[in-house]
Amino acid sequence: MKIAMLARNFKLYSHQRLKEAAEQRGHELDMINTTRCYMNIASRRPEIFYNGEKLGHYDAVIPRIGASVTFYGTAVLRQFEMQGVYPLNESVGIGRSRDKLRSMQLLARDGVGLPVTTFAHDPKQTEEVLEVAGGAPVVVKLLEGTQGIGVVLADTARSAKSVIEAFRGANINILVQEFIKEAGGTDIRAFVVGGKVIAAMMRKGAEGEFRSNLHRGGSAAVVKLSPEERSTAIRAARSMGLNVCGVDMLRSNHGPVVMEVNSSPGLEGIEKATGIDVAGKIIEFLERNAKVGATRTKGKG
Ligand code: ADP
Ligand code: MG
């Protein structure tokens, strides 16, 4: 196969590992800097240019689109989709996963367990919103935050009220969520590839930190999932329409609840914690599925 990988920093562990895994299996993988692509949206023959040349044929494209370039990156990916190149994850799925509110609504529609989550526009409704979320402590989240930045724990009703009013006053969209205290600063990342959980880890936040993101100094260890956790992760991936994703869950008193679904999950933490060749499993998924014309959306949506 000839595979294109859309990425920005070619040196990242995840990107290097995917290239290595593809080459080990006899494929060719070109890393393409997403933001340096430009496009010709001509009817019937969508083209992509890169480094002054028109890109040739690829069998598959691996989008590794950073949260800061979602808009442009998904547009480039749609161009590949219109050409019939098989995307590891489709642009629509990536778009959904980048908006926490939209993701929560899709997951809720399909009955996936979630923390009680509220959303409101008007800061005048703060008290009611807090009440619906079960009262303080609550977690306040920016809709498009990532790596734990933009996730705030408000311990008391007074701090929750002022944090919500501050964000809304600055016209920033937020979710207000029930704080799952019993998770004890840990969360579970289930790595889903092609409708199966192929690896899972438990992450624990640094001392005194409720956020377990590895980027915030958290640590990871291998974990055995319960059947319910496994099926929750698989259902979440299906609701979002993602072939490959990291489903982040909390172990709550009322079962597993999904916090977010990551469409470009990092490989370093999960491979190192579990010893599983995740990159290899992703390439094997492409081998099984990247057939000409198998793209479902063809850039639509
Ligand atoms: P990000 O996209 O920035 O990673 P998350 O929604 O995944 O944002 O939250 C970051 C971390 O904060 C989670 O991994 C988890 O450890 C903690 N966290 C988030 N929401 C809750 C919650 N409702 N209850 C308890 N802990 C939470
Ligand atoms: Mg997260």
Side-chain angles (χ1 to χ4, degrees), residues 48-91:
I48 305 164
F49 295 88
Y50 186 61
N51 284 339
E53 282 179 40
K54 197 170 101 179
L55 278 186
H57 168 79
Y58 285 99
D59 301 292
V61 53
I62 301 181
R64 299 284 311 182
I65 295 165
S68 58
V69 294
T70 303
F71 178 77
Y72 195 70
T74 49
V76 175
L77 180 58
R78 276 197 298 278
Q79 199 80 353
F80 277 93
E81 291 169 357
M82 286 189 281
Q83 295 179 340
V85 181
Y86 184 84
L88 181 67
N89 277 330
E90 296 190 3
S91 50

Side-chain angles (χ1 to χ4, degrees), residues 8 14 47-48 77 82 88 108 129 144 147 156 166 225 239:
R8 288 226 289 173
S14 304
E47 292 172 330
I48 305 164
L77 180 58
M82 286 189 281
L88 181 67
V129 162
E144 299 196 4
Q147 304 185 342
T156 62
L225 299 189
S239 301

Side-chain angles (χ1 to χ4, degrees), residues 100 141 146-148 177-178 180 187 210 212-213 259-260:
K100 288 198 163 104
K141 289 186 192 185
T146 182
Q147 304 185 342
Q177 203 165 65
E178 152 197 29
I180 310 291
D187 79 349
F210 81 100
S212 54
N213 301 65
M259 279 178 301
E260 66 167 343

Side-chain angles (χ1 to χ4, degrees), residues 64 85 104 122 130 151 155 219 227 229 239 255 274 276 288:
R64 299 284 311 182
V85 181
M104 289 277 153
D122 192 338
L130 266 173
V151 179
D155 286 307
S219 57
E229 288 162 351
S239 301
T274 63
I276 294 171
R288 288 195 301 278

Side-chain angles (χ1 to χ4, degrees), residues 24-298:
Q24 259 171 15
R25 285 164 178 78
H27 307 296
E28 213 178 295
L29 187 147
D30 293 339
M31 300 218 199
I32 295 173
N33 189 324
T34 323
T35 50
R36 296 231 189 101
C37 289
Y38 50 101
M39 304 168 264
N40 176 0
I41 332 262
S43 24
R44 285 180 222 287
R45 38 172 193 85
E47 292 172 330
I48 305 164
F49 295 88
Y50 186 61
N51 284 339
E53 282 179 40
K54 197 170 101 179
L55 278 186
H57 168 79
Y58 285 99
D59 301 292
V61 53
I62 301 181
R64 299 284 311 182
I65 295 165
S68 58
V69 294
T70 303
F71 178 77
Y72 195 70
T74 49
V76 175
L77 180 58
R78 276 197 298 278
Q79 199 80 353
F80 277 93
E81 291 169 357
M82 286 189 281
Q83 295 179 340
V85 181
Y86 184 84
L88 181 67
N89 277 330
E90 296 190 3
S91 50
V92 215
I94 297 172
R96 289 175 185 142
S97 76
R98 291 292 157 81
D99 175 339
K100 288 198 163 104
L101 176 61
R102 188 173 173 196
S103 310
M104 289 277 153
Q105 288 177 318
L106 285 167
L107 297 171
R109 185 181 70 183
D110 291 337
V112 175
L114 302 172
V116 176
T117 303
T118 58
F119 178 74
H121 181 78
D122 192 338
K124 288 193 207 82
Q125 287 145 357
T126 303
E127 308 229 336
E128 288 97 313
V129 162
L130 266 173
E131 202 180 300
V132 176
V138 290
V139 176
V140 179
K141 289 186 192 185
L142 303 188
L143 282 199
E144 299 196 4
T146 182
Q147 304 185 342
I149 302 161
V151 179
V152 182
L153 174 60
D155 286 307
T156 62
R158 199 162 50 171
S159 60
K161 198 163 175 288
S162 46
V163 169
I164 295 168
E165 284 170 356
F167 278 129
R168 288 305 304 139
N171 215 9
I172 296 168
N173 281 322
I174 47 167
L175 295 179
V176 180
Q177 203 165 65
E178 152 197 29
F179 175 54
I180 310 291
K181 187 165 186 285
E182 60 271 26
T186 67
D187 79 349
I188 289 172
R189 154 78 47 106
F191 206 106
V192 178
V193 177
K196 289 199 184 80
V197 175
I198 57 130
M201 64 178 167
M202 178 178 261
R203 298 178 295 195
K204 184 160 181 41
E207 193 59 36
E209 174 62 76
F210 81 100
R211 296 166 300 181
S212 54
N213 301 65
L214 301 182
H215 285 101
R216 304 264 69 74
S219 57
V222 63
V223 69
K224 188 160 167 37
L225 299 189
S226 70
E228 196 189 0
E229 288 162 351
R230 201 169 276 277
S231 75
T232 299
I234 294 168
R235 285 195 297 134
R238 197 186 304 136
S239 301
M240 303 291 293
L242 292 166
N243 295 317
V244 170
C245 58
V247 180
D248 293 346
M249 296 176 279
L250 294 167
R251 282 184 166 161
S252 84
N253 289 338
H254 45 100
V257 289
V258 173
M259 279 178 301
E260 66 167 343
V261 182
N262 197 313
S263 55
S264 276
L267 301 190
E268 187 167 10
I270 193 94
E271 287 197 335
K272 290 190 172 157
T274 63
I276 294 171
D277 176 12
V278 174
K281 294 200 185 283
I282 291 174
I283 301 299
E284 282 162 16
F285 172 82
L286 285 181
E287 287 171 352
R288 288 195 301 278
N289 294 281
K291 309 254 158 51
V292 178
T295 313
R296 277 189 296 139
T297 55
K298 293 265 179 352

